[in-house]
Each structure stands twice: as structure tokens, then as C-alpha cells.
Amino acid sequence: MPQTWFECIRCGRKYPISEVKYRCESCGGLLDVEHDVDALKSRSGAEWKDLFARRSRMSKWPYQSGVWAKKEWVAPQIDDENIVSLGEGYTPLLRVKDLASLPEVWVKECGISHTGSFKDLGMTVLVSHVKQLISDGTQIRAVACASTGDTSAALAAYAAAARIPAIIFLPRGKISTAQLAQPIAHGAIVLGLETDFDGCMKIVQEITEDKSIYLANSMNALRIEGQKTVGIEIVQQLGWEVPDWIVIPAGNLGNISALGRGLTMMHELGLIDRLPRIVAAQAENANPLYQSFLTNFDEQRTVMARTTLASAIQIGSPVSYERAVKALRAFDGIVEQASEDELANAAALADRAGLYACPQTGVALAVLEKLVARGTIKRSDRVVVISTAHGLKFTDFKVDYHQKALSGVVSRYANPPVYLPADIDTVRKRIDAELA
Ligand SMILES: *Cc1c(COP(=O)(O)O)cnc(C)c1O
Ligand SMILES: [Zn+2]
């Protein structure tokens, strides 16, 4: 029996991990990577914890990465010399006092990473897998993705590190300047299309029907395997204690599925004895999962995604919908949404507590605040919010908020700069007035 393989999430058909395949040939379902869990049970839960804890103190290749420290659970098929790592994972888990109407909130800072978002976690696995395929003789000319900004930044960086060409499809004018600069700097072929993310996603799926152009979007199960380490890392950082809730911004729905898979694996392998509840946070302007949740997931709703400040989750037809529903059912999940006004003010309030929240993290914090107000989440509950990207990628959002220039947003915490003549008395008076 192989250690790991692709398996259709609908009909269960299996495929070798070395095949270039994104959907099931029989039924068109998405594939998951599955592992020989019985073989992994040769170590007890306590032994796995001990091994992971020891590796977290090592600088030995490839365990200096939070993803590769869990290699047996993630991608054992890849030889160490084919691993392409930029030091992903092991991001801070911060305890923040008095946030979102709670005495304390834990914030998993996935944006403190090489390209500034959690996408690095999945991309290290995908690009390493491609490098392995190439070294095993598979003809791959390039890797390609559609992106709302962060996927392309990560793919371009890892592909550059691996010296593999990257092709990036972006919805023209719908991503931040920082996110556009990243793939350009890494030498990717950057194609700005006159469409939205969903339109780019269609094109990339057609382009990658040519097997020599490898699809790097999160419908590719290898991405999910890397991203699933986030939940494992959170529990490890909490001293192997399971939080009551994990709140996560959700767009194309790969990450929420990944979170579920990592935690499920910990449960199966005896590292934890209970599961947290998961909250998927969506922007009201792009809320297909929320709409589906309202019908108890009876059917998949898609929407025409409207413009949202949370541009990384401006997605109307999420690819990993079925995977996400599976996770939400298994984790007694909730989906809630936040308006532009709510997400922007929640991000600003977090910044006042010393964070530097991206708009997507603003969505998660605003949703958390709602659920606390509603009594769904108790003040005594331990809550982790997944911060998905670094605020520095969203400078226009910050500046416009504080200039009160965001439409549909009342900037309740605006703090515009004060311009004064270089006169000591005027300056003194103003400081006294500000501190009064
Ligand atoms: C990609 C992304 C998301 C959404 O993740 P999905 O897997 O698409 O649901 C959220 N926030 C940021 C910053 C992202 O880059
Ligand atoms: Zn199938």
C-alpha cells in the first residue's frame, strides 16, 4: 500500500500521487490527498507530539519549516532534496487582550510569512511536488494559477526559488499594488485579464488541460495538505490544548477545508480528544457560502461577487465548496458575514490593539464580534482568529480608511495625520490638546 494517494471526495476512486490530476475521471469530483493513517498509527499520539515538539527546536533541513516539520502527515512522497522551502509556518500565535468584545483573543498571524500570507503553507508543498515530478521525468513546462493576489505572490516566489516558470492570471484592477508587484518582481508571466477572479479561474482550468502546465490553485489537493498544518500548529502552540472556536475568513474555501483536515488527522492519530467549532467568515458582498449555510447546505449557492475591501475573498463561485461543507458539518460549523463598514472598523480597532489587520482578518474579527454579541460565543470561550495576510499588503485600504475615503464605511477610528507649521509653540499646544 502506498503511503499517500489522491482520492475522489465524491466517489472514492483512487489515483497514484504521481499522476497530474485535479478532478476525478469518473465523476468530476475534486480530489483529496489521503494518507495511510494506520501506518502513521505506529507512533502514538504522545510520540507524535514529542517528535513535532523536538523538530520545532531544530534548524535541520527540512524541519526548519513549520510545514515540513510535519512531513509524514503532509507529503512523504517528496525527497528532501526536492523540497522548495522559504521558511513557511511557525507563525506567531498572539494573545490579544480586549478585542472583539472578549477579554482575550488568540490571533494566528499567518501573514508573518515569506510572501505575507498563509498561501505560502500550501505553495511550498505544491511546488516541491512539481519539482519531484520533474526530477522523476514528468514533462512540466510551467506552473499556473488564477489569483485574488496572494496565491500568485506565493506561487511566483516558490516557482522562482525552484527555477520553474510561473504563469499568473489576475483580474485586472482588482488586486492591491503590493500583490501585483510581487509576481512581477519574481519574474512570473503576469496576465491581467478583463474579468473577475471567477473568470480567471475558468481560463486557468482550460489552459491547464495541457498537462505540461501545472495547475496551482487550491482545487489542487497538494495545496490543502500544506495549509492543513495551520490547525496543527495552533493546537501545538496552545500546549496541545484545543481551542473552543477557530474563526477563519473564507473565499475559495480551500483554507477552511485544510483547517478541518489537519485537526481531523490530529484527532484520528490521538493527539487531541476533542474538536473545536469552526466559524467561516465571509464578506457580505461575496457571500455564497453564507447563502448556502442559510439553506443548511441543501444546495450550493453561487453569487456574482461584488466589490469588497476584502479583495482576497471576493469570490462568487468557490471551487472547494464541497470540501468546505464536509469540514463545516464535521466541526459543527457556522457561517457568518460582515459588511464593508463592519470589516473596516474591526480591522482598525485591531490595529489600535497593536495588530495590523488585513481586510480579510477584519471580516473574521467583525464576525467574531457579532457572534459574541449574539451569545453564540461566550466570554469564557477560548477563540483563535486566523489572520490570513499581512496588513502591509493593503496600504491603500489603511490610508483610505484614515482619510475617511472608503465608500460605505464610517471610519469610527480614523486617525489622520496632523499637519503643522514647524513652530515650537504651535507644536506644544497641539500635543497638549491631543493628550488632554
Ligand atoms: C486566499 C485568501 C483567503 C481565502 O482563502 P480560501 O482558501 O480561498 O478560502 C483569505 N484571506 C487571504 C488574505 C487570502 O489570501
Ligand atoms: Zn469520483
Side-chain angles (χ1 to χ4, degrees):
M1 184 163 172
Q3 297 166 291
T4 182
W5 59 91
F6 289 120
E7 191 169 313
C8 173
I9 66 168
R10 283 189 202 150
C11 76
R13 184 169 167 190
K14 295 176 184 173
Y15 302 89
I17 198 81
S18 57
E19 275 188 36
V20 176
K21 205 168 285 299
Y22 319 108
R23 283 189 184 277
C24 177
E25 275 171 25
S26 308
C27 75
L30 291 178
L31 307 176
D32 274 341
V33 173
E34 294 295 347
H35 299 268
D36 183 351
V37 172
D38 284 334
L40 292 172
K41 281 182 180 160
S42 64
R43 277 197 181 94
S44 70
E47 284 168 336
W48 280 116
K49 285 186 205 174
D50 188 50
L51 180 69
F52 292 159
R54 262 187 288 128
R55 284 180 181 167
S56 71
R57 295 187 292 271
M58 277 182 194
S59 56
K60 184 171 168 279
W61 182 266
Y63 306 131
Q64 87 305 330
S65 149
V67 171
W68 296 104
K70 275 99 189 171
K71 187 183 177 195
E72 295 88 344
W73 292 26
V74 170
Q77 76 276 10
I78 297 170
D79 299 333
D80 284 356
E81 73 260 26
N82 283 323
I83 288 176
V84 184
S85 172
L86 294 169
E88 54 291 321
Y90 290 145
T91 51
L93 179 68
L94 304 180
R95 189 176 66 164
V96 185
K97 299 272 188 193
D98 297 319
L99 190 64
S101 308
L102 287 173
E104 66 175 37
V105 176
W106 295 82
V107 179
K108 179 63 170 163
E109 290 276 81
C110 295
I112 313 290
S113 184
H114 186 69
T115 73
S117 86
F118 76 83
K119 299 295 199 294
D120 292 351
L121 300 174
M123 219 46 96
T124 182
V125 176
L126 181 133
V127 172
S128 302
H129 182 80
V130 169
K131 205 170 165 212
Q132 181 74 43
L133 291 176
I134 292 172
S135 79
D136 291 343
T138 308
Q139 286 294 317
I140 293 176
R141 290 186 293 154
V143 287
C145 74
S147 179
T148 54
D150 290 328
T151 299
S152 48
L155 179 62
Y158 283 87
R163 308 276 168 188
I164 298 170
I167 307 166
I168 306 295
F169 296 92
L170 295 172
R172 186 168 178 188
K174 294 191 174 67
I175 67 166
S176 78
T177 309
Q179 290 166 326
L180 177 61
Q182 288 178 292
I184 289 174
H186 291 303
I189 301 162
V190 180
L191 307 173
L193 305 188
E194 303 286 350
T195 179
D196 56 7
F197 171 81
D198 298 298
C200 289
M201 194 66 224
K202 271 194 203 113
I203 299 265
V204 77
Q205 291 191 58
E206 284 184 38
I207 290 293
T208 53
E209 278 169 19
D210 170 353
K211 289 263 175 77
S212 73
I213 301 179
Y214 190 88
L215 176 66
N217 278 96
S218 59
M219 66 179 283
N220 185 324
L222 289 153
R223 288 260 313 274
I224 307 284
E225 288 310 284
Q227 289 173 205
K228 86 183 178 194
T229 58
V230 72
I232 306 170
E233 218 173 90
I234 287 169
V235 174
Q236 183 173 2
Q237 285 169 312
L238 290 173
W240 304 106
E241 281 179 22
V242 179
D244 299 301
W245 299 89
I246 299 180
V247 186
I248 181 171
N252 217 12
L253 308 182
N255 209 27
I256 188 166
S257 336
L259 175 66
R261 285 177 67 75
L263 293 163
T264 301
M265 206 156 170
M266 291 185 96
H267 196 235
E268 280 178 352
L269 289 168
L271 284 76
I272 54 176
D273 56 12
R274 68 182 190 103
L275 297 174
R277 291 183 69 185
I278 292 180
V279 178
Q282 289 219 294
E284 198 175 305
N285 283 358
N287 64 355
L289 186 68
Y290 178 72
Q291 301 274 354
S292 305
F293 174 71
L294 294 181
T295 71
N296 212 3
F297 301 124
D298 283 346
E299 57 174 319
Q300 177 176 1
R301 297 289 170 88
T302 58
V303 301
M304 181 61 85
R306 286 174 288 155
T307 302
T308 169
L309 294 163
S311 51
I313 52 175
Q314 189 177 323
I315 295 173
S317 178
V319 164
S320 287
Y321 174 79
E322 283 174 66
R323 286 179 176 142
V325 171
K326 225 168 143 182
L328 286 166
R329 290 208 164 115
F331 288 79
D332 197 6
I334 295 177
V335 187
E336 187 48 78
Q337 62 178 3
S339 69
E340 298 299 289
D341 184 70
E342 290 165 341
L343 77 87
N345 282 302
L349 203 52
D351 292 357
R352 288 294 182 92
L355 297 174
Y356 199 61
C358 77
Q360 296 71 222
T361 304
V363 172
L365 289 166
V367 159
L368 171 58
E369 189 142 12
K370 276 188 189 178
L371 294 175
V372 173
R374 202 179 291 157
T376 309
I377 295 180
K378 309 266 177 314
R379 280 178 58 81
S380 55
D381 287 349
R382 186 184 272 189
V383 182
V384 177
V385 169
I386 297 191
S387 174
T388 45
H390 203 300
L392 284 173
K393 287 202 184 204
F394 298 88
T395 300
D396 291 345
F397 162 67
K398 298 287 185 197
V399 171
D400 290 349
Y401 176 88
H402 290 286
Q403 308 277 12
K404 303 186 182 178
L406 295 176
S407 76
V409 174
V410 177
S411 303
R412 275 152 50 204
Y413 311 101
N415 180 37
V418 177
Y419 298 105
L420 299 176
D423 169 64
I424 191 71
D425 287 337
T426 316
V427 171
R428 273 210 189 95
K429 266 188 200 139
R430 184 59 191 245
I431 290 174
D432 289 341
E434 291 285 340
L435 294 178

